[in-house]
Amino acid sequence: MLVEAVKQGSEVEDFLGNILIEMHAKTNLLAKIDHIVLLHQFQGMVRWTSLIAGYANNGFGEEALKYYGLMQAEGVSPDVVTFTCILKACGSIGAVEKGEEIHDDIIREGWLEKHISVGTSLVDMYAKCGALSRAHEAFN
């Protein structure tokens, strides 16, 4: 019913848009997310992070990386949740080079000092990519 409201051109608040994305991600209806994004103007870090998390948490790392790139192109800055989700996506597909780029961004922005969960996500990403020496460095 909510998707129908979007299709019919009803105004959708940011809150409702986020709920639609989360609902479809949690029920593994990820193809619907793309449809919602196309129908509703997609803005804001929370909305981008909901989309990235939906893909990353359901094993679609490539798609999560695609939307992370689009988010950056829009000039939207990631937060701690975005970083943990995109690192999970990198680990799930073995994208160690992209993970290293993100690691550089994290260091540049000072996120390691602010949130231990980002450091934990880095260790996990490197380990899943088979870069155990990098995982050990990130741990230290």
Side-chain angles (χ1 to χ4, degrees), residues 9-83:
S10 299
E11 276 209 26
V12 178
E13 301 285 333
D14 284 344
F15 177 74
L16 181 56
N18 290 335
I19 288 173
L20 285 169
I21 291 167
E22 289 178 29
M23 176 186 70
H24 285 91
K26 287 178 181 174
T27 58
N28 216 13
L29 297 172
L30 296 170
K32 292 280 188 191
I33 292 174
D34 280 331
H35 189 66
I36 292 166
V37 171
L38 292 174
L39 292 171
H40 181 63
Q41 194 170 41
F42 203 84
Q43 297 178 355
M45 184 271 306
V46 173
R47 184 89 45 90
W48 281 110
T49 298
S50 294
L51 183 64
I52 292 165
Y55 280 112
N57 291 331
N58 285 287
F60 295 94
E62 291 288 341
E63 289 82 358
L65 285 171
K66 176 180 94 172
Y67 285 105
Y68 181 74
L70 291 172
M71 181 182 105
Q72 289 182 306
E74 292 279 322
V76 178
S77 297
D79 71 353
V80 63
V81 177
T82 314
F83 279 128

Side-chain angles (χ1 to χ4, degrees), residues 84 87-88 91-92 118-130 135 138:
T84 57
L87 289 169
K88 179 178 183 172
S92 74
V118 175
T120 303
S121 296
L122 279 167
V123 172
D124 186 60
M125 182 273 300
Y126 282 125
K128 286 182 178 173
C129 289

